[in-house]
């Protein structure tokens, strides 16, 4: 089968930061923008200050812009409003005077998973495909370490110019973030010390298999 991308699918983040891997925290920060729409600086609102996470929230803003959840004026976009309105509070809420919990959300609700599936695929298509391709055919340890699976992940994406000079440590971070994303959105799970695609993950793999570059099969470890 001739390989080609669907129109508009050549999207990817030029950088992937380690603090991006916890999507539960991302939803909490987006919800802050919803609850404090008049705030000039979201890192200075009460929940952030009380939790002492000003720096962590600040580092999330780049990710929110990359996903088109906030604009350059730090206001929620339609995508941000979408995620904020399906926000599911954590099971255990603290006894506090503030309205939004910070760093308590360990998993995503079903609606939140659907939002992130659309956003990550829409803004980061090729690396998400690379993750699905790798997990469909390789044994990837659930507890990450520098190893062959990281090299295998990087080989699928070395055609992206911005990724060509990354260090092994940077690739390890990227691999871990993508594996965490797949688990968070219900495409993969940790089982018997390895990562495995879920039923939804296999369904996604089947839908996009036609778009895998044929040379990716040479990288299966």
């Amino acid at each position: 089968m001739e390989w080609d991308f669907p129109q508009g699918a050549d999207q990817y983040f030029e950088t992937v930061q380690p603090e991006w891997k916890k999507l539960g925290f991302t939803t909490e920060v987006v919800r802050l923008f919803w609850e404090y729409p008049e705030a000039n600086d979201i890192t200075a609102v009460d929940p952030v200050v009380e939790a002492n996470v000003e720096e962590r929230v600040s580092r999330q803003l780049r990710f929110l812009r990359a996903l088109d959840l906030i604009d350059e004026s730090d206001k929620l976009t339609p995508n941000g409003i979408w995620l904020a309105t399906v926000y599911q509070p954590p099971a255990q809420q603290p006894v506090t005077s503030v309205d939004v919990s910070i760093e308590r959300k360990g998993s995503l609700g079903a609606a939140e998973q659907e939002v992130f599936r659309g956003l990550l695929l829409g803004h980061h298509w090729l690396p998400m495909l690379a993750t699905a391709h790798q997990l469909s055919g390789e044994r990837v340890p659930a507890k990450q370490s520098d190893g062959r699976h990281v090299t295998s992940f990087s080989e699928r994406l070395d055609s992206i110019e911005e990724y060509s000079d990354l260090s092994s440590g940077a690739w390890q971070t990227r691999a871990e973030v993508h594996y965490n994303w797949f688990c968070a959105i219900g495409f993969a799970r940790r089982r018997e010390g390895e990562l495995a695609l879920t039923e939804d993950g296999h369904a996604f793999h089947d839908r996009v298999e036609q778009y895998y570059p044929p040379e990716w099969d040479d990288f299966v470890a």
Side-chain angles (χ1 to χ4, degrees), residues 73-178:
S73 299
D74 287 353
K75 301 298 181 183
L76 288 176
T77 64
N79 282 337
I81 294 171
W82 179 27
L83 182 57
T85 54
V86 301
Y87 173 76
Q88 180 175 304
Q92 292 185 333
Q93 290 276 31
V95 179
T96 175
S97 60
V98 300
D99 298 326
V100 184
S101 300
I102 297 293
E103 291 195 304
R104 286 181 173 267
K105 192 170 170 60
S107 61
L108 301 180
E112 293 167 327
Q113 287 183 337
E114 288 297 328
V115 173
F116 276 113
R117 288 178 185 183
L119 292 175
L120 289 169
L121 292 171
H123 293 276
H124 198 54
W125 170 263
L126 189 59
M128 293 293 284
L129 259 63
T131 310
H133 182 270
Q134 182 180 33
L135 294 181
S136 71
E138 293 183 26
R139 298 180 62 180
V140 177
K143 186 176 181 180
Q144 299 308 315
S145 59
D146 188 12
R148 173 63 189 138
H149 65 281
V150 174
T151 302
S152 178
F153 178 76
S154 70
E155 287 173 334
R156 290 170 169 82
L157 300 171
D158 64 0
S159 63
I160 297 177
E161 183 178 355
E162 288 83 356
Y163 296 178
S164 60
D165 295 325
L166 292 177
S167 66
S168 59
W171 274 116
Q172 181 177 349
T173 292
R174 285 170 184 258
E176 290 178 359
V177 168
H178 286 81

Side-chain angles (χ1 to χ4, degrees), residues 13 15-17 19-23 25-27 57-70 116 120 124 177 181:
F13 301 142
T15 183
V16 176
Q17 303 300 316
E19 59 267 15
W20 294 7
K21 67 183 179 181
K22 294 185 177 181
L23 295 180
F25 186 70
T26 302
T27 65
V57 170
S58 178
R59 290 199 300 267
Q60 273 283 306
L61 301 185
R62 187 175 183 181
F63 186 34
L64 269 56
R65 295 187 187 102
L67 282 173
D68 190 32
L69 293 167
I70 61 173
F116 276 113
L120 289 169
H124 198 54
V177 168
W181 284 347

